Amino acid sequence: MEKMIGILLLGFFLALLLFLLIFFMGNGALNRYFESSMYRRNVSKETIAMFQEYVSRHHLAASDTERIREWAKENHIGYFTISRKRMLLYDNYYTLPVALDRTKSEQLHYTWQYFQEVSFTDGNADVFIYVNRERKYYILVDVAAALCGVLVWIGVFAFGVSGYVRYIRQLSGEVAKLEDGLWSVDYFTIKGEDELTDLARGLEHMKTVLLEKEEKERNMKKAQNKLVLGMAHDLRTPLTALMAYLEIIKREPEHDKVELYVKKTVGKAIQIKNLSDQLFEFFLINSGQQPQMEKSESIAFVMEDYCSELCNVLQTNGYTVTLGWKQWEEVKISVCYDYIGRIMNNLLSNLLKYADKTKEILLDMGICQDEFFFSIMNAAANKEQDHRGTGIGVHNIEIMMEQMQGRCEEECGEESYRICLYFPLEKSENS
């Protein structure tokens, strides 16, 4: 905007200079021409001849000022004097008739060389008539000066903004390429330092953000497709076994084997239910709805009940649980309780499936910089696992922690497994 204003002011300054140059040079040339030529004298002769005809036709005397004034007004006379022996008899600048007391006029001193004699009924008199017929030439010069000034102003402005127009067209062409896809535009041209440059930078940033978003969505879709295919495969395995067990139960009449296959059938049904619950949970947390975060509470208020329930269930199922802390930290965190419940259920489910009962499970917590961490470490059981492949449970935990502004870290060793949850601490007013 500042450059545009500068161009306008520069064009106005140059236009004003040109106008003044043409105006003064043109008017000066006209003044010199009319003063040195016979133009005014010839015009005066023609007009005085017309006046002589009027005087003769109406038998006027030099003192008939009213009739003379009417003729001067009808013929648009600029200046008109009648005198005898350098004594003024009539002057059209006076609004009243001139007295015949032979009043002197200084103007006669400057116009006597243009006098021409006119015959009146009361004698001859010297007449000076000035008709401003050259005024039209001065008007033409003034109009030409103004027109040239305006054209120069427009020309300077057009030349100044031509670069902006080309830049705008270039950006418009690059924006039009977006219709063919984001990848069709290598980059948006950035040059100069003005509002258009800021616009180009904004377009380039928008393109970068859109490309990143598109890449992220593509990777997410790819991961989802992979996850769904893996889940379909994992569901198919226990479902096939379930159908086989049901078919055996249908055909097996012996009671002891029926009870065995019923137990296996229930186990496979529970396995299918867990997988379907995890798949439902995955699409639920990826629906785009942000979690409802609760107000900040102390760590003990948020985690104590969940940890107690986790320990009780593990100990009931024959696991040994060791706590790595003696008291809760005096800090606060903000969480979504629905997500925390889902996370703890997933962690418990994984421990029951994969943890070795002969080794202890270590629960730990603490403060690490500006984060509160809660970790679980256990040894993996030495048995083949049916559906460890997809890792949808841990994946869901990672997504839920990310949506709560936290993070999840997983460490898999040959004989041990550790998962750690990090929650951002509430910033105190004094920090």
Side-chain angles (χ1 to χ4, degrees):
M1 181 61 70
E2 293 179 356
K3 290 186 177 180
M4 297 288 286
I5 295 175
I7 293 172
L8 282 173
L9 293 177
L10 176 62
F12 176 76
F13 178 73
L14 294 177
L16 181 61
L17 286 180
L18 182 62
F19 170 78
L20 295 176
L21 181 65
I22 296 176
F23 177 81
F24 287 110
M25 290 184 63
N27 280 270
L30 289 175
N31 289 335
R32 289 190 296 272
Y33 170 76
F34 290 128
E35 289 175 0
S36 61
S37 68
M38 298 295 293
Y39 179 84
R40 290 175 177 169
R41 184 179 295 275
N42 293 335
V43 171
S44 180
K45 286 182 179 180
E46 293 176 4
T47 309
I48 292 176
M50 293 171 54
F51 180 63
Q52 177 64 76
E53 181 182 356
Y54 176 77
V55 170
S56 301
R57 186 170 63 252
H58 295 281
H59 306 286
L60 298 180
S63 58
D64 293 331
T65 56
E66 288 298 328
R67 302 289 297 276
I68 294 173
R69 192 180 301 278
E70 291 176 2
W71 178 87
K73 186 176 181 180
E74 291 175 359
N75 290 272
H76 308 288
I77 304 301
Y79 187 59
F80 188 3
T81 63
I82 301 174
S83 61
R84 285 194 181 104
K85 297 180 181 180
R86 303 291 180 89
M87 300 302 292
L88 186 63
L89 301 178
Y90 169 82
D91 190 327
N92 68 332
Y93 279 1
Y94 290 108
T95 58
L96 297 175
V98 179
L100 294 178
D101 56 357
R102 306 299 188 265
T103 304
K104 291 186 178 181
S105 173
E106 293 183 1
Q107 186 65 24
L108 299 179
H109 177 71
Y110 301 102
T111 59
W112 65 269
Q113 63 269 33
Y114 297 101
F115 287 170
Q116 293 188 49
E117 194 172 81
V118 174
S119 299
F120 293 92
T121 56
D122 58 348
N124 295 337
D126 296 322
V127 175
F128 171 76
I129 296 179
Y130 171 70
V131 181
N132 192 10
R133 290 186 183 177
E134 65 268 26
R135 183 168 178 266
K136 59 184 177 182
Y137 299 104
Y138 287 95
I139 293 175
L140 289 175
V141 169
D142 295 345
V143 171
L147 182 61
C148 291
V150 171
L151 291 176
V152 167
W153 194 359
I154 294 174
V156 171
F157 180 75
F159 179 78
V161 301
S162 59
Y164 292 96
V165 173
R166 288 193 298 269
Y167 191 21
I168 292 173
R169 288 178 177 174
Q170 186 176 6
L171 290 178
S172 299
E174 293 169 350
V175 170
K177 290 182 180 179
L178 291 177
E179 297 177 358
D180 300 328
L182 292 171
W183 298 101
S184 62
V185 184
D186 295 332
Y187 59 89
F188 284 95
T189 305
I190 299 175
K191 59 182 180 181
E193 289 294 336
D194 50 33
E195 289 81 359
L196 287 177
T197 307
D198 294 339
L199 174 62
R201 288 197 183 98
L203 290 173
E204 181 65 22
H205 177 70
M206 179 193 71
K207 172 180 170 289
T208 303
V209 171
L210 290 176
L211 285 175
E212 291 176 353
K213 183 178 180 182
E214 187 178 285
E215 180 68 18
K216 185 177 180 181
E217 290 177 351
R218 185 163 43 249
N219 293 335
M220 184 179 295
K221 186 176 181 181
K222 184 177 179 181
Q224 288 179 354
N225 291 338
K226 181 180 178 181
L227 183 63
V228 170
L229 288 175
M231 288 295 296
H233 177 268
D234 287 348
L235 282 170
R236 196 168 106 181
T237 300
L239 185 59
T240 302
L242 177 63
M243 293 176 66
Y245 294 152
L246 290 174
E247 187 66 25
I248 292 173
I249 293 171
K250 180 179 179 182
R251 296 181 181 182
E252 182 58 55
E254 297 183 16
H255 182 269
D256 55 344
K257 289 187 177 181
V258 169
E259 185 177 355
L260 173 64
Y261 287 117
V262 167
K263 185 176 180 180
K264 289 185 177 182
T265 300
V266 172
K268 294 300 179 182
I270 293 174
Q271 186 178 340
I272 293 173
K273 180 181 182 301
N274 290 336
L275 287 171
S276 63
D277 288 344
Q278 289 178 343
L279 187 61
F280 172 77
E281 186 176 75
F282 172 78
F283 286 105
L284 180 65
I285 62 180
N286 283 281
S287 63
Q289 295 182 354
Q290 293 300 316
Q292 182 65 41
M293 302 294 289
E294 304 294 337
K295 66 177 183 178
S296 299
E297 297 288 354
S298 65
I299 291 175
F301 182 87
V302 175
M303 300 294 296
E304 187 171 16
D305 290 342
Y306 293 109
C307 289
S308 297
E309 182 180 356
L310 179 66
C311 293
N312 291 334
V313 174
L314 289 174
Q315 290 171 351
T316 302
N317 284 272
Y319 292 90
T320 301
V321 181
T322 302
L323 301 181
W325 71 89
K326 294 182 179 180
Q327 62 181 10
W328 294 95
E329 298 284 351
E330 295 296 331
V331 291
K332 293 183 178 182
I333 59 175
S334 176
V335 298
C336 172
Y337 289 110
D338 180 50
Y339 276 12
I340 289 294
R342 293 177 184 274
I343 290 172
M344 298 304 289
N345 287 338
N346 283 342
L347 293 175
L348 176 60
S349 177
N350 287 343
L351 289 170
L352 294 176
K353 291 176 186 175
Y354 310 123
D356 187 352
K357 287 187 178 181
T358 64
K359 304 291 179 64
E360 69 175 3
I361 298 174
L362 175 62
L363 304 183
D364 197 10
M365 75 162 193
I367 304 298
C368 180
Q369 295 181 353
D370 293 333
E371 294 177 311
F372 164 75
F373 71 87
F374 174 78
S375 67
I376 301 175
M377 180 180 291
N378 65 279
N382 295 322
K383 61 181 180 180
E384 183 180 356
Q385 304 299 333
D386 294 333
H387 53 280
R388 181 186 286 269
T390 59
I392 187 172
V394 175
H395 185 66
N396 288 344
I397 293 174
E398 292 175 348
I399 295 176
M400 286 186 283
M401 288 299 298
E402 182 179 345
Q403 291 185 3
M404 290 191 297
Q405 309 304 317
R407 56 192 179 95
C408 172
E409 289 184 356
E410 185 182 23
E411 299 175 5
C412 298
E414 293 182 0
E415 297 182 355
S416 65
Y417 174 82
R418 180 176 182 267
I419 186 168
C420 189
L421 309 178
Y422 292 89
F423 299 88
L425 296 176
E426 179 191 25
K427 293 184 179 180
S428 62
E429 297 180 356
N430 296 329
S431 61

